[in-house]
Amino acid sequence: QPYDGTDVAWNGLRLAGKLAENGHEVRIFLMNDAVDLARESCKPPPAYDQDLVAMLKALIAGGARVLVCGTCMARCGLHKNEPYYAGAEKSTMQALAEWVADSDRVLTF
């Protein structure tokens, strides 16, 4: 889950932001419970000081491409079956496979 008590998602988004700032192409594929980051209903817990959804939207606004697992839409996250917001495209494992094959580097968080 995006807010799982660790800073894994936050650090991944921070790195993506720095890569984008430095002129690198950033492509993000969300799957499993991370798909909640692409849903408006995902809100930070009261004690968490970062808005991960806002960070992802800023990346999208800056030109990052964000694909989100379509199968995971119904299977994963706290907000199952809720749609993804504009700019986060519902996608497939085939698209992820093509991105991986086309990439110089692949990072996972």
Side-chain angles (χ1 to χ4, degrees):
Q1 297 171 8
Y3 299 103
D4 66 354
T6 72
D7 285 334
V8 173
W10 177 61
N11 283 316
L13 292 171
R14 290 176 54 219
L15 176 59
K18 287 298 172 189
L19 289 166
E21 283 178 27
N22 291 327
H24 298 280
E25 178 185 15
V26 173
R27 300 186 294 185
I28 298 170
F29 193 98
L30 299 174
M31 54 193 326
N32 299 322
D33 288 345
V35 299
D36 274 348
L37 281 176
R39 294 175 167 144
E40 293 288 356
S41 54
C42 184
K43 306 291 183 207
Y48 200 80
D49 64 343
Q50 300 296 321
D51 185 335
L52 302 180
V53 170
M55 291 175 75
L56 185 60
K57 284 182 173 184
L59 285 165
I60 292 169
R65 181 114 184 258
V66 176
L67 299 182
V68 194
C69 179
T71 303
C72 297
M73 179 182 272
R75 297 176 54 89
C76 302
L78 297 172
H79 307 284
K80 290 179 176 85
N81 291 313
E82 292 185 19
Y84 300 137
Y85 51 72
E89 304 170 47
K90 183 178 175 182
S91 193
T92 65
M93 190 60 64
Q94 179 61 39
L96 176 58
E98 291 169 10
W99 268 11
V100 169
D102 182 54
S103 295
D104 293 330
R105 292 174 196 90
V106 176
L107 303 174
T108 61
F109 280 82

